[in-house]
Amino acid sequence: MSTATMTSTTTMTLADLKAQEKAAKKAEKERQKRIDADEKAERKRAAKTGFSNPANPTRSMALTIVCAIFAVYCLFPFVYLMINATKTQSDFTSTFGLGFGKTFALFDNIATVFTYQDGIFGRWFVNTILYVVVGAGGATLLAIMGGYALAKFRFPGRKLCFVIIIGAISVPGIALAVPQFLLFAKMGLTNTPWSMIIPSLVSTFGLYLMWIFSDQAVPDELLEAARVDGAGEFRTFFQISLPLLAPGIVTTALFAIVATWNNYFLPLIMLKDSNWYPLTIGLNQWKDQASTAGGQAIQNLVITGSLITIIPLVIAFLCLQRYWQSGLAAGAVKE
């Protein structure tokens, strides 16, 4: 092959390569234009349907407005407490409810709450803590153990227990207050802490909740493996099952804590000695003080005491919410 022929072949090859490269660049530009057009069309479609991206699937103005209304509804009492706890008694009666008074008296009100009537508010606070720790704590423990046993063990009368629990859930607690009072009066336990603690130990909803949660959260295969390895039932429960039940335990505990902390009607009929009052009854007594003969109006102390009362519940929810988050995806993945 001559030199001229080789040169011509090389020139044609380079020309072909340049042509192919130019065609590839053109095709890539066309492909990119199509992608940009598709993305633009997708964004328009997403804006119309409310789907923006997988991380934020739904945007609805109506839903946002409804959620905002509910948020304002829920936060309004707390804001009202925060504002009015800073007022003196005179400012409370003479200023707008959602406006601050002439004097910022929050810290003075807090100090007066804990010193008024020889510091009886502190005693009420301690009583409430006692009823919650012993009553709600005991109710949570019994619900955990009972729900786990009903879910993981088979025994005669198990279906009857289910019927009784469902029936007990349907009965409002206030309907049982008078029978409980008559029973405790016969036993001589009224006007004692036991009249508050013993009824609080029973939580039928908590028992049912732990029953359902234990059935789903603790695999039977895991229990069988532990038994094969020689672990007893108590060791299996405390070391294997209990950590898996954390979200359900926290939920049951918070339900029991809130129910006991906010319990009003039961202590109203059970307790007569103010030294055993919980916060709910004590603050109500302060509220009604102005309507008695010669009574002094202390709404500023009632508001401040109410604000102090809800702080432990807020702290409990904020500290325990991570356990709920850890259980949100339970059951979401098929095994």
Coordinates of all heavy atoms in Angstrom, one line a residue, residues 193-272:
P193 N -54.5 7.4 101.3 CA -53.9 7.3 100.0 C -54.2 6.0 99.2 O -54.2 6.0 98.0 CB -52.4 7.3 100.3 CG -52.3 8.0 101.6 CD -53.5 7.6 102.4
W194 N -54.6 5.0 100.0 CA -54.9 3.7 99.3 C -56.2 3.8 98.5 O -56.4 3.1 97.5 CB -55.1 2.6 100.4 CG -53.8 2.3 101.1 CD1 -53.5 2.5 102.4 CD2 -52.7 1.7 100.5 NE1 -52.2 2.1 102.7 CE2 -51.7 1.6 101.5 CE3 -52.4 1.2 99.2 CZ2 -50.5 1.0 101.3 CZ3 -51.1 0.6 99.0 CH2 -50.2 0.5 100.0
S195 N -57.1 4.7 98.9 CA -58.3 4.9 98.1 C -58.0 5.5 96.7 O -58.8 5.5 95.8 CB -59.3 5.8 98.8 OG -58.7 7.1 99.1
M196 N -56.8 6.1 96.5 CA -56.4 6.6 95.3 C -55.5 5.6 94.5 O -55.6 5.5 93.3 CB -55.7 8.0 95.4 CG -56.6 9.1 95.7 SD -57.6 9.5 94.3 CE -56.4 10.0 93.1
I197 N -54.7 4.9 95.3 CA -53.7 4.1 94.6 C -54.3 2.8 94.1 O -54.0 2.4 92.9 CB -52.5 3.8 95.6 CG1 -51.7 5.0 95.9 CG2 -51.6 2.7 95.1 CD1 -50.7 4.9 97.0
I198 N -55.1 2.1 94.9 CA -55.7 0.8 94.5 C -56.5 0.9 93.2 O -56.3 0.1 92.3 CB -56.5 0.2 95.7 CG1 -55.5 -0.1 96.8 CG2 -57.2 -1.1 95.2 CD1 -56.2 -0.7 98.0
P199 N -57.4 1.9 93.1 CA -58.2 1.9 91.8 C -57.3 2.3 90.6 O -57.6 1.9 89.5 CB -59.2 3.1 92.1 CG -59.4 3.1 93.5 CD -58.0 2.8 94.1
S200 N -56.2 3.0 90.9 CA -55.3 3.4 89.8 C -54.5 2.2 89.3 O -53.9 2.3 88.2 CB -54.4 4.5 90.2 OG -55.1 5.7 90.6
L201 N -54.4 1.1 90.0 CA -53.6 0.0 89.6 C -54.3 -0.8 88.4 O -53.6 -1.6 87.8 CB -53.4 -1.0 90.8 CG -52.5 -0.4 91.9 CD1 -52.5 -1.4 93.1 CD2 -51.1 -0.2 91.4
V202 N -55.5 -0.5 88.2 CA -56.3 -1.3 87.2 C -56.4 -0.4 85.9 O -57.0 0.7 86.0 CB -57.7 -1.7 87.6 CG1 -58.4 -2.4 86.5 CG2 -57.5 -2.5 88.9
S203 N -55.8 -0.8 84.8 CA -55.9 -0.1 83.6 C -56.3 -1.1 82.5 O -55.4 -1.8 81.9 CB -54.6 0.5 83.2 OG -54.6 1.1 81.9
T204 N -57.6 -1.3 82.2 CA -58.0 -2.3 81.2 C -57.6 -1.9 79.8 O -57.2 -2.8 79.1 CB -59.5 -2.4 81.3 OG1 -60.1 -1.1 81.2 CG2 -60.0 -3.0 82.6
F205 N -57.6 -0.6 79.5 CA -57.1 -0.2 78.2 C -55.6 -0.5 78.0 O -55.2 -1.0 77.0 CB -57.4 1.3 77.9 CG -56.9 1.7 76.6 CD1 -57.5 1.4 75.4 CD2 -55.7 2.5 76.5 CE1 -57.1 1.9 74.2 CE2 -55.2 2.9 75.3 CZ -55.9 2.6 74.1
G206 N -54.8 -0.3 79.1 CA -53.4 -0.6 79.0 C -53.1 -2.0 78.9 O -52.2 -2.5 78.1
L207 N -53.9 -2.9 79.6 CA -53.8 -4.3 79.4 C -54.1 -4.8 78.0 O -53.4 -5.6 77.4 CB -54.8 -5.0 80.4 CG -54.8 -6.5 80.4 CD1 -53.4 -7.1 80.7 CD2 -55.9 -7.1 81.4
Y208 N -55.2 -4.2 77.4 CA -55.5 -4.6 76.1 C -54.5 -4.1 75.1 O -54.1 -4.8 74.2 CB -56.9 -4.0 75.7 CG -57.3 -4.2 74.3 CD1 -57.7 -5.5 73.9 CD2 -57.2 -3.2 73.4 CE1 -58.1 -5.7 72.5 CE2 -57.6 -3.4 72.1 CZ -58.1 -4.6 71.6 OH -58.4 -4.8 70.3
L209 N -54.0 -2.9 75.3 CA -52.9 -2.4 74.4 C -51.7 -3.2 74.5 O -51.1 -3.6 73.4 CB -52.6 -0.9 74.8 CG -51.5 -0.2 74.0 CD1 -52.0 0.0 72.6 CD2 -51.2 1.1 74.6
M210 N -51.2 -3.6 75.7 CA -50.0 -4.5 75.8 C -50.3 -5.9 75.2 O -49.3 -6.5 74.7 CB -49.6 -4.5 77.2 CG -49.0 -3.2 77.7 SD -47.6 -2.6 76.7 CE -46.5 -3.9 76.6
W211 N -51.5 -6.3 75.3 CA -51.8 -7.6 74.8 C -51.6 -7.6 73.2 O -50.9 -8.5 72.7 CB -53.3 -8.0 75.1 CG -53.7 -9.3 74.6 CD1 -53.1 -10.2 73.8 CD2 -55.0 -9.9 75.0 NE1 -53.8 -11.3 73.6 CE2 -55.0 -11.2 74.3 CE3 -56.1 -9.6 75.7 CZ2 -56.1 -12.1 74.4 CZ3 -57.1 -10.5 75.8 CH2 -57.2 -11.7 75.2
I212 N -52.2 -6.6 72.6 CA -52.1 -6.5 71.1 C -50.6 -6.3 70.7 O -50.1 -6.9 69.8 CB -53.0 -5.4 70.6 CG1 -54.5 -5.7 71.0 CG2 -52.9 -5.3 69.1 CD1 -55.0 -7.1 70.5
F213 N -50.0 -5.4 71.4 CA -48.6 -5.0 71.1 C -47.6 -6.2 71.3 O -46.7 -6.4 70.5 CB -48.1 -3.8 71.9 CG -46.9 -3.2 71.4 CD1 -46.9 -2.3 70.3 CD2 -45.6 -3.5 71.9 CE1 -45.7 -1.7 69.8 CE2 -44.5 -3.0 71.4 CZ -44.5 -2.0 70.4
S214 N -47.8 -6.9 72.4 CA -46.9 -8.1 72.7 C -47.1 -9.1 71.6 O -46.1 -9.8 71.2 CB -47.2 -8.6 74.0 OG -47.0 -7.7 75.0
D215 N -48.3 -9.3 71.1 CA -48.6 -10.3 70.1 C -47.8 -10.0 68.8 O -47.4 -11.0 68.1 CB -50.1 -10.4 69.9 CG -50.4 -11.6 69.0 OD1 -50.0 -12.7 69.3 OD2 -51.1 -11.4 68.0
Q216 N -47.7 -8.7 68.5 CA -47.0 -8.4 67.2 C -45.5 -8.1 67.4 O -44.8 -8.3 66.4 CB -47.7 -7.1 66.7 CG -49.2 -7.3 66.4 CD -49.5 -8.3 65.3 OE1 -48.7 -8.4 64.3 NE2 -50.6 -9.0 65.4
A217 N -45.1 -7.6 68.5 CA -43.7 -7.1 68.6 C -42.7 -8.2 69.0 O -41.5 -8.1 68.7 CB -43.7 -6.0 69.7
V218 N -43.2 -9.3 69.7 CA -42.3 -10.3 70.1 C -42.6 -11.6 69.3 O -43.6 -12.2 69.4 CB -42.6 -10.6 71.6 CG1 -41.6 -11.7 72.1 CG2 -42.4 -9.4 72.5
P219 N -41.6 -12.0 68.4 CA -41.8 -13.2 67.6 C -41.8 -14.4 68.4 O -41.0 -14.6 69.4 CB -40.6 -13.1 66.6 CG -40.1 -11.7 66.7 CD -40.4 -11.2 68.1
D220 N -42.7 -15.4 68.1 CA -42.7 -16.6 68.8 C -41.5 -17.4 68.6 O -41.0 -18.2 69.5 CB -43.9 -17.4 68.4 CG -45.3 -16.8 68.8 OD1 -45.3 -16.0 69.7 OD2 -46.3 -17.0 68.1
E221 N -40.9 -17.3 67.4 CA -39.6 -18.0 67.1 C -38.5 -17.6 68.1 O -37.6 -18.4 68.5 CB -39.2 -17.8 65.7 CG -40.2 -18.3 64.6 CD -41.4 -17.5 64.4 OE1 -41.4 -16.3 65.0 OE2 -42.3 -17.9 63.7
L222 N -38.5 -16.3 68.4 CA -37.4 -15.8 69.3 C -37.6 -16.4 70.7 O -36.6 -16.8 71.4 CB -37.5 -14.3 69.4 CG -36.4 -13.5 70.1 CD1 -35.1 -13.8 69.4 CD2 -36.7 -12.0 70.2
L223 N -38.8 -16.5 71.2 CA -39.1 -17.1 72.5 C -38.7 -18.6 72.5 O -38.2 -19.2 73.4 CB -40.6 -17.0 72.9 CG -41.1 -15.5 73.0 CD1 -42.5 -15.5 73.4 CD2 -40.2 -14.7 73.9
E224 N -39.1 -19.3 71.4 CA -38.7 -20.7 71.3 C -37.2 -20.9 71.3 O -36.7 -21.9 71.9 CB -39.3 -21.3 70.0 CG -40.8 -21.4 70.0 CD -41.4 -21.8 68.7 OE1 -40.6 -22.2 67.8 OE2 -42.6 -21.9 68.6
A225 N -36.5 -20.0 70.6 CA -35.0 -20.1 70.6 C -34.4 -19.9 72.0 O -33.5 -20.6 72.4 CB -34.4 -19.1 69.6
A226 N -35.0 -19.0 72.7 CA -34.5 -18.7 74.1 C -34.8 -19.9 75.0 O -34.0 -20.3 75.8 CB -35.2 -17.5 74.6
R227 N -36.0 -20.6 74.8 CA -36.3 -21.7 75.6 C -35.4 -22.9 75.3 O -35.0 -23.7 76.2 CB -37.8 -22.1 75.4 CG -38.7 -21.1 76.0 CD -40.2 -21.4 75.7 NE -41.1 -20.4 76.2 CZ -42.0 -19.8 75.5 NH1 -42.2 -20.3 74.2 NH2 -42.8 -18.9 76.0
V228 N -35.1 -23.1 74.0 CA -34.2 -24.1 73.6 C -32.8 -23.9 74.2 O -32.1 -24.9 74.6 CB -34.1 -24.2 72.0 CG1 -33.0 -25.1 71.6 CG2 -35.4 -24.7 71.5
D229 N -32.4 -22.7 74.3 CA -31.1 -22.4 74.9 C -31.1 -22.5 76.4 O -30.0 -22.3 77.1 CB -30.6 -21.0 74.5 CG -30.3 -20.9 73.0 OD1 -30.0 -21.9 72.4 OD2 -30.3 -19.8 72.5
G230 N -32.2 -22.8 77.0 CA -32.3 -23.0 78.5 C -32.7 -21.8 79.3 O -32.6 -21.9 80.5
A231 N -33.2 -20.8 78.7 CA -33.6 -19.6 79.4 C -35.0 -19.8 80.0 O -35.9 -20.4 79.3 CB -33.6 -18.3 78.5
G232 N -35.2 -19.4 81.3 CA -36.5 -19.5 81.9 C -37.4 -18.5 81.4 O -37.0 -17.5 80.7
E233 N -38.7 -18.6 81.8 CA -39.7 -17.6 81.4 C -39.4 -16.2 81.9 O -39.6 -15.3 81.1 CB -41.1 -18.1 81.8 CG -41.5 -19.4 81.2 CD -41.6 -19.3 79.7 OE1 -41.8 -18.2 79.1 OE2 -41.5 -20.4 79.0
F234 N -39.0 -16.1 83.1 CA -38.7 -14.8 83.7 C -37.5 -14.1 83.0 O -37.5 -12.9 82.6 CB -38.5 -14.8 85.2 CG -39.7 -15.0 86.0 CD1 -40.2 -16.2 86.4 CD2 -40.5 -13.8 86.3 CE1 -41.4 -16.3 87.1 CE2 -41.7 -13.9 87.0 CZ -42.1 -15.2 87.4
R235 N -36.5 -14.9 82.8 CA -35.3 -14.4 82.1 C -35.6 -14.0 80.6 O -35.2 -13.0 80.1 CB -34.2 -15.4 82.1 CG -32.9 -14.9 81.5 CD -31.8 -16.0 81.5 NE -30.6 -15.5 80.9 CZ -29.5 -16.2 80.7 NH1 -29.5 -17.5 81.2 NH2 -28.4 -15.7 80.2
T236 N -36.4 -14.8 80.0 CA -36.9 -14.5 78.6 C -37.7 -13.2 78.6 O -37.5 -12.4 77.7 CB -37.7 -15.7 78.0 OG1 -36.9 -16.9 78.1 CG2 -38.1 -15.4 76.6
F237 N -38.5 -13.1 79.5 CA -39.4 -11.9 79.6 C -38.5 -10.6 79.8 O -38.7 -9.6 79.1 CB -40.4 -12.0 80.7 CG -41.2 -10.8 80.9 CD1 -42.2 -10.4 79.9 CD2 -41.1 -10.0 82.0 CE1 -42.9 -9.2 80.1 CE2 -41.8 -8.9 82.2 CZ -42.8 -8.5 81.3
F238 N -37.7 -10.6 80.8 CA -37.0 -9.4 81.2 C -35.8 -9.1 80.2 O -35.5 -7.9 80.0 CB -36.4 -9.5 82.6 CG -37.5 -9.4 83.7 CD1 -38.0 -10.5 84.3 CD2 -38.1 -8.1 83.9 CE1 -39.0 -10.4 85.3 CE2 -39.1 -8.0 84.9 CZ -39.5 -9.1 85.6
Q239 N -35.1 -10.1 79.7 CA -33.9 -9.8 78.9 C -34.2 -9.8 77.4 O -33.5 -9.2 76.6 CB -32.9 -10.9 79.2 CG -32.3 -10.8 80.6 CD -31.1 -11.8 80.8 OE1 -30.7 -12.5 79.9 NE2 -30.6 -11.8 82.0
I240 N -35.3 -10.5 76.9 CA -35.5 -10.6 75.5 C -36.8 -9.8 75.1 O -36.8 -8.9 74.2 CB -35.6 -12.0 75.1 CG1 -34.3 -12.7 75.3 CG2 -36.1 -12.1 73.6 CD1 -34.3 -14.2 75.0
S241 N -37.9 -10.1 75.8 CA -39.2 -9.5 75.4 C -39.3 -8.0 75.8 O -39.8 -7.2 75.0 CB -40.3 -10.3 76.0 OG -40.3 -11.6 75.6
L242 N -38.8 -7.7 77.0 CA -39.1 -6.4 77.5 C -38.5 -5.3 76.7 O -39.1 -4.3 76.4 CB -38.5 -6.3 79.0 CG -39.2 -5.2 79.9 CD1 -40.7 -5.5 80.0 CD2 -38.6 -5.3 81.3
P243 N -37.2 -5.4 76.2 CA -36.7 -4.4 75.3 C -37.5 -4.2 74.0 O -37.6 -3.1 73.5 CB -35.3 -4.8 75.0 CG -34.9 -5.7 76.1 CD -36.2 -6.4 76.5
L244 N -38.1 -5.3 73.5 CA -38.9 -5.2 72.3 C -40.2 -4.5 72.5 O -40.8 -4.0 71.6 CB -39.2 -6.6 71.7 CG -37.9 -7.4 71.3 CD1 -38.3 -8.8 70.8 CD2 -37.2 -6.7 70.2
L245 N -40.7 -4.4 73.8 CA -41.9 -3.8 74.1 C -41.8 -2.4 74.5 O -42.8 -1.8 75.0 CB -42.6 -4.6 75.3 CG -42.9 -6.1 75.0 CD1 -43.4 -6.8 76.2 CD2 -43.9 -6.2 73.8
A246 N -40.7 -1.7 74.3 CA -40.5 -0.4 74.8 C -41.5 0.6 74.3 O -42.1 1.4 75.1 CB -39.0 0.1 74.5
P247 N -41.8 0.7 73.0 CA -42.8 1.7 72.5 C -44.2 1.5 73.2 O -44.8 2.4 73.6 CB -42.8 1.4 71.0 CG -41.5 0.8 70.7 CD -41.2 0.0 71.8
G248 N -44.6 0.2 73.3 CA -45.9 -0.1 73.9 C -45.9 0.2 75.4 O -46.9 0.7 75.9
I249 N -44.8 0.0 76.1 CA -44.7 0.3 77.5 C -44.8 1.8 77.7 O -45.5 2.2 78.6 CB -43.3 -0.3 78.1 CG1 -43.4 -1.8 78.0 CG2 -43.1 0.2 79.5 CD1 -42.0 -2.4 78.4
V250 N -44.0 2.6 76.9 CA -44.1 4.0 77.1 C -45.5 4.5 76.8 O -46.0 5.4 77.5 CB -43.1 4.7 76.1 CG1 -43.3 6.2 76.1 CG2 -41.7 4.3 76.5
T251 N -46.2 4.0 75.8 CA -47.5 4.5 75.5 C -48.5 4.2 76.7 O -49.2 5.0 77.1 CB -48.0 3.8 74.2 OG1 -47.1 4.1 73.1 CG2 -49.4 4.3 73.9
T252 N -48.4 2.9 77.2 CA -49.2 2.5 78.3 C -48.9 3.4 79.5 O -49.8 3.8 80.2 CB -49.0 1.0 78.6 OG1 -49.3 0.3 77.4 CG2 -49.9 0.6 79.7
A253 N -47.6 3.6 79.8 CA -47.2 4.4 80.9 C -47.8 5.8 80.9 O -48.3 6.4 81.8 CB -45.7 4.4 81.1
L254 N -47.7 6.4 79.7 CA -48.1 7.8 79.5 C -49.6 7.9 79.7 O -50.1 8.9 80.3 CB -47.7 8.4 78.2 CG -46.2 8.8 78.1 CD1 -45.9 9.2 76.7 CD2 -45.9 9.8 79.1
F255 N -50.4 6.9 79.1 CA -51.8 6.9 79.3 C -52.1 6.8 80.8 O -53.0 7.5 81.3 CB -52.4 5.8 78.6 CG -52.8 6.1 77.2 CD1 -52.2 5.4 76.1 CD2 -53.7 7.0 76.9 CE1 -52.5 5.7 74.8 CE2 -54.0 7.3 75.5 CZ -53.4 6.6 74.5
A256 N -51.4 5.9 81.5 CA -51.7 5.8 83.0 C -51.3 7.0 83.8 O -52.0 7.4 84.7 CB -51.0 4.5 83.5
I257 N -50.2 7.6 83.4 CA -49.7 8.8 84.1 C -50.7 10.0 83.9 O -51.0 10.6 84.9 CB -48.3 9.2 83.6 CG1 -47.3 8.2 84.1 CG2 -47.9 10.6 84.1 CD1 -45.9 8.4 83.5
V258 N -51.1 10.2 82.7 CA -52.0 11.3 82.4 C -53.3 11.1 83.1 O -53.9 12.0 83.7 CB -52.2 11.5 80.9 CG1 -53.3 12.5 80.6 CG2 -50.9 11.9 80.3
A259 N -53.9 9.8 83.1 CA -55.1 9.5 83.7 C -55.1 9.8 85.2 O -56.0 10.3 85.9 CB -55.5 8.1 83.4
T260 N -53.9 9.3 85.9 CA -53.8 9.5 87.3 C -53.5 10.9 87.7 O -54.1 11.5 88.7 CB -52.7 8.6 87.8 OG1 -52.9 7.2 87.4 CG2 -52.6 8.7 89.4
W261 N -52.7 11.6 86.9 CA -52.3 13.0 87.2 C -53.5 13.9 87.1 O -53.7 14.9 87.9 CB -51.2 13.5 86.2 CG -50.6 14.8 86.6 CD1 -51.0 16.0 86.3 CD2 -49.3 14.9 87.3 NE1 -50.2 16.9 86.8 CE2 -49.1 16.3 87.4 CE3 -48.4 14.0 87.8 CZ2 -48.0 16.8 88.0 CZ3 -47.3 14.5 88.4 CH2 -47.1 15.9 88.5
N262 N -54.4 13.7 86.1 CA -55.6 14.5 85.9 C -56.9 14.0 86.5 O -57.9 14.5 86.3 CB -55.8 14.7 84.4 CG -54.7 15.4 83.7 OD1 -54.0 16.2 84.3 ND2 -54.5 15.1 82.4
N263 N -56.7 12.9 87.3 CA -57.9 12.4 88.0 C -58.6 13.4 88.9 O -57.9 14.0 89.8 CB -57.5 11.1 88.8 CG -58.7 10.2 89.0 OD1 -59.9 10.6 88.8 ND2 -58.5 9.0 89.5
Y264 N -59.8 13.6 88.7 CA -60.5 14.6 89.5 C -61.7 14.0 90.3 O -61.8 14.2 91.5 CB -61.1 15.7 88.6 CG -61.9 16.7 89.3 CD1 -61.3 17.7 90.1 CD2 -63.3 16.7 89.3 CE1 -62.0 18.7 90.8 CE2 -64.0 17.7 90.0 CZ -63.4 18.6 90.7 OH -64.2 19.6 91.4
F265 N -62.6 13.2 89.7 CA -63.8 12.8 90.4 C -63.5 11.8 91.5 O -64.1 11.8 92.5 CB -64.8 12.2 89.3 CG -66.1 12.0 89.9 CD1 -67.0 13.0 90.1 CD2 -66.6 10.7 90.1 CE1 -68.2 12.9 90.6 CE2 -67.9 10.5 90.6 CZ -68.7 11.6 90.9
L266 N -62.6 10.9 91.2 CA -62.3 9.9 92.3 C -61.7 10.5 93.6 O -62.3 10.2 94.6 CB -61.3 8.8 91.7 CG -60.9 7.7 92.7 CD1 -62.2 6.8 92.9 CD2 -59.8 6.8 92.1
P267 N -60.7 11.3 93.5 CA -60.3 12.0 94.8 C -61.3 12.9 95.4 O -61.4 13.1 96.6 CB -59.0 12.7 94.4 CG -59.1 12.9 92.9 CD -59.8 11.7 92.4
L268 N -62.2 13.4 94.5 CA -63.3 14.3 95.0 C -64.2 13.6 96.0 O -64.6 14.2 97.0 CB -64.0 14.9 93.9 CG -65.2 15.9 94.2 CD1 -64.6 17.1 94.9 CD2 -66.0 16.2 93.0
I269 N -64.5 12.3 95.7 CA -65.4 11.6 96.5 C -64.7 10.8 97.6 O -65.3 10.4 98.6 CB -66.4 10.7 95.7 CG1 -65.6 9.6 95.0 CG2 -67.1 11.5 94.7 CD1 -66.5 8.6 94.3
M270 N -63.4 10.5 97.3 CA -62.7 9.6 98.3 C -62.0 10.3 99.4 O -61.9 9.8 100.5 CB -61.6 8.8 97.5 CG -62.2 7.7 96.6 SD -62.8 6.3 97.6 CE -63.2 5.1 96.2
L271 N -61.5 11.6 99.1 CA -60.7 12.3 100.1 C -61.4 13.5 100.7 O -62.1 14.2 100.0 CB -59.4 12.7 99.4 CG -58.6 11.7 98.7 CD1 -57.4 12.3 98.0 CD2 -58.1 10.6 99.8
K272 N -61.3 13.6 102.0 CA -61.8 14.8 102.7 C -60.8 15.6 103.4 O -60.9 16.8 103.6 CB -62.9 14.3 103.8 CG -64.1 13.5 103.2 CD -64.8 14.4 102.2 CE -66.0 13.6 101.6 NZ -66.7 14.4 100.6

